[in-house]
Amino acid sequence: MSKDWTLERFFHTVVNSTDLDRSIAFYEKLGFEVLHDRRNADWPDFVATNFGMERAKGRGALMVLSNDPDGPIVDLVEWTEPRFEPPSGPNRIPQILAFRTRNVAAAREALEAAGIE
């Protein structure tokens, strides 16, 4: 069977946030910049339909690395309806977003100095 399509590149990933402004500030410290600010956007009803939900409202921001503007986008979303609460306790599932980093030891030192754990 021939394949008439192919994936071209990784485009974006959604990262759920409980505090969008704090998340934006964090990613800016990593070198990201806001590509599209959706903090005050009114989500149309089809968003809920697309996700199979009764209601879907939130605030968001699309962010890209300033040194890789054509690279993948981090889509930060603070869900307001329904309100997102991260799982906790022993059944918590890790959420991982990994970045290739030059001189990771220096990055850790700089981020810790900026108050980031």
Side-chain angles (χ1 to χ4, degrees), residues 38-116:
R38 297 179 176 171
R39 283 179 263 202
N40 298 312
D42 183 26
W43 290 16
D45 291 338
F46 72 79
V47 173
T49 303
N50 288 351
F51 289 115
M53 301 166 68
E54 288 184 31
R55 283 192 55 77
K57 297 293 179 185
R59 305 170 63 227
L62 299 177
M63 301 192 75
V64 295
L65 277 172
S66 57
N67 63 348
D68 189 10
D70 295 323
I73 295 171
V74 173
D75 186 351
L76 296 174
V77 176
E78 178 183 347
W79 293 89
T80 56
E81 293 181 46
R83 184 81 187 145
F84 170 71
E85 294 298 332
S88 61
N91 295 324
R92 169 182 160 312
I93 297 169
Q95 297 176 17
I96 299 167
L97 188 59
F99 300 100
R100 183 177 304 270
T101 306
R102 182 180 44 79
N103 198 348
V104 71
R108 179 180 177 163
E109 185 176 304
L111 293 170
E112 285 177 346
I116 297 171

Side-chain angles (χ1 to χ4, degrees), residues 16-52:
N16 294 320
S17 169
T18 57
D19 183 332
L20 183 64
D21 297 317
R22 182 184 69 203
S23 294
I24 289 171
F26 169 76
Y27 281 93
E28 286 176 335
K29 287 179 183 173
L30 294 179
F32 283 81
E33 59 187 37
V34 174
L35 174 68
H36 187 50
D37 194 326
R38 297 179 176 171
R39 283 179 263 202
N40 298 312
D42 183 26
W43 290 16
D45 291 338
F46 72 79
V47 173
T49 303
N50 288 351
F51 289 115

Side-chain angles (χ1 to χ4, degrees), residues 5-26:
W5 62 272
T6 184
L7 294 179
E8 295 178 350
R9 68 182 178 102
F10 182 75
F11 180 61
H12 88 279
T13 189
V14 173
V15 175
N16 294 320
S17 169
T18 57
D19 183 332
L20 183 64
D21 297 317
R22 182 184 69 203
S23 294
I24 289 171
F26 169 76

